[in-house]
């Protein structure tokens, strides 16, 4: 059913989709567009798609599936840029990290079109057309959040597409997605941005020892904190209510730990650390950890 895939935005996600199609579904034809001419040149040089187009409209004219791979704050404008050139029967999807706001933006820009919002829960701290790689989605979740009443055949086609690229597909409501991802992805990033920022602000006090001795835990935080500023600004602005709700709960837990430390309550600390250690083991056993040999090291990509 899907023969031509149009990719709008040729950075980490768009490029990885193009490369994954080349590896896993070579019969599919891919067209791609990025509003940045330098990105279009790099995409051509790396062969991220079969054809890099000069306009968004030319990119989508023959597509069966259009995938928006731009920051969530740019989704609506990007969708409007090709709306008039969409062929009949096309499915429009995206890869945005928050789903309620993107679903609304796409519905507003493309009335009457079949829209299947999606979020491959796979990425790195890198961005841009040089960052993509074809195995990014292998054994990772891709969450679809179609509105009730969406054509089941279209949902099936998008499910089959992501399965072909190696992902495991789950369908859920956009609101639920945004709450879950606030806890598992958005707040962890916020914590990393905060701790690295705070440590940097304290550099006067620590006399640059922050950087010098950052071989352990802090180094892991700096990888996450190196993530793309535009992407993450847009994630927090678009998933505001879920992030604020979950942050409230997180702050309460942090305050409880603060109290335990102040009062010398070692049992509370030990109980929590035992529970979290068990969760880490479970994550690894269930294969949710990255098994790519170079993943998570700061010299990859
Ligand atoms: N990076 C991750 O780990 C990750 C993982 C899953 C999902 N996502 C989501 O994927 C999307 C893309 O993220 P990325 O990491 O690939 O970012 P990226 O910065 O690597 O690529 C985004 C590209 O979109 C282009 N662009 C911006 N506005 C455009 C427009 N109006 N028309 C055409 N091109 C436009 C930019 O020039 C850029 O090249 C975001 O919505 C992000 O939330 C990211
Ligand atoms: O591993 C990383 O570097 C990521 O940040 C990937 C990650 C995540 O939080 O898991 C980040 C944002 C996405 O929307 C999906 C995946």
């Amino acid at each position: 059913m899907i023969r031509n895939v149009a990719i709008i935005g040729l950075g980490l996600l768009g490029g990885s989709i193009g490369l994954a199609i080349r590896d896993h579904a070579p019969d599919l034809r891919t067209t791609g567009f990025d509003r940045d001419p330098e990105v279009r040149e790099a995409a051509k040089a790396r062969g991220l798609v079969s054809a890099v187009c000069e306009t968004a409209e030319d990119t989508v004219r023959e597509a069966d599936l259009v995938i928006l791979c731009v920051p969530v704050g740019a989704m609506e404008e990007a969708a409007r840029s090709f709306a008039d050139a969409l062929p009949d029967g096309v499915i429009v999807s995206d890869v945005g990290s928050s789903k309620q706001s993107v679903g609304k933006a796409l519905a507003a820009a493309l009335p009457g079109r079949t829209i299947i919002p999606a979020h491959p829960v796979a990425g790195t701290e890198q961005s841009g057309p040089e960052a993509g790689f074809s195995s990014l989605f292998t054994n990772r979740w891709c969450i679809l959040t179609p509105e009730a009443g969406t054509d089941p055949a279209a949902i099936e086609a998008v499910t089959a597409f992501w399965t072909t690229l190696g992902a495991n597909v789950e369908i859920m409501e956009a609101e639920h997605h945004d709450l879950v991802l606030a806890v598992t992805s958005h707040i962890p990033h916020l914590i990393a941005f905060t701790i690295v920022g705070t440590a940097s602000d304290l550099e006067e006090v620590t006399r640059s020892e922050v950087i010098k001795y950052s071989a352990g835990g802090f180094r892991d935080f700096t990888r996450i904190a190196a993530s793309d500023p535009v992407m993450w600004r847009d994630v927090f602005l678009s998933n505001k209510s879920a992030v604020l709700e979950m942050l409230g709960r997180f702050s309460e837990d942090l305050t409880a730990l603060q109290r335990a430390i102040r009062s010398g309550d070692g049992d509370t600390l030990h109980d929590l650390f035992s529970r979290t250690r068990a969760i880490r083991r479970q994550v690894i056993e269930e294969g949710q950890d990255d098994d790519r040999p170079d993943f998570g090291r700061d010299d990859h990509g």
Side-chain angles (χ1 to χ4, degrees), residues 66-151:
V66 177
I67 309 178
L68 286 135
C69 302
V70 302
V72 291
M75 290 285 178
E76 184 163 348
E77 182 202 338
R80 288 190 193 281
S81 72
F82 58 70
D84 293 341
L86 284 174
D88 287 344
V90 67
I91 299 169
V92 179
S93 189
D94 75 292
V95 294
S97 302
S98 60
K99 296 276 47 103
Q100 286 177 100
S101 75
V102 172
K104 281 185 197 139
L106 297 186
L110 307 170
R113 295 293 184 175
T114 301
I115 296 164
I116 307 207
H119 178 204
V121 189
T124 76
E125 74 283 13
Q126 312 281 346
S127 56
E130 306 294 344
F133 54 101
S134 71
S135 62
L136 178 63
F137 311 109
T138 305
N139 206 22
R140 308 309 298 263
W141 289 109
C142 181
I143 300 170
L144 309 185
T145 62
E147 284 290 321
T150 304
D151 178 12

Side-chain angles (χ1 to χ4, degrees), residues 40-226:
R40 294 203 294 275
E41 280 313 306
K44 269 184 218 166
R46 281 199 77 197
L48 298 182
V49 285
S50 325
V52 175
C53 302
E54 287 303 303
T55 67
E57 290 191 320
D58 284 346
T59 315
V60 305
R61 266 184 232 288
E62 305 203 334
D64 307 301
L65 172 65
V66 177
I67 309 178
L68 286 135
C69 302
V70 302
V72 291
M75 290 285 178
E76 184 163 348
E77 182 202 338
R80 288 190 193 281
S81 72
F82 58 70
D84 293 341
L86 284 174
D88 287 344
V90 67
I91 299 169
V92 179
S93 189
D94 75 292
V95 294
S97 302
S98 60
K99 296 276 47 103
Q100 286 177 100
S101 75
V102 172
K104 281 185 197 139
L106 297 186
L110 307 170
R113 295 293 184 175
T114 301
I115 296 164
I116 307 207
H119 178 204
V121 189
T124 76
E125 74 283 13
Q126 312 281 346
S127 56
E130 306 294 344
F133 54 101
S134 71
S135 62
L136 178 63
F137 311 109
T138 305
N139 206 22
R140 308 309 298 263
W141 289 109
C142 181
I143 300 170
L144 309 185
T145 62
E147 284 290 321
T150 304
D151 178 12
I155 299 174
E156 217 170 283
V158 175
T159 300
F161 171 77
W162 280 105
T163 306
T164 302
L165 301 197
N168 304 311
V169 175
E170 192 91 81
I171 296 173
M172 66 175 74
E173 286 190 1
E175 191 181 349
H176 185 64
H177 167 281
D178 286 356
L179 267 183
V180 171
L181 270 291
V183 181
T184 58
S185 176
H186 305 169
I187 289 176
H189 277 76
L190 199 67
I191 292 167
F193 293 132
T194 311
I195 189 64
V196 175
T198 305
S200 159
D201 290 345
L202 288 175
E203 228 159 20
E204 284 260 303
V205 183
T206 56
R207 283 185 238 100
S208 295
E209 284 163 330
V210 162
I211 307 296
K212 190 170 162 191
Y213 297 124
S214 68
F218 184 74
R219 197 178 182 86
D220 292 346
F221 278 115
T222 62
R223 181 186 81 75
I224 296 290

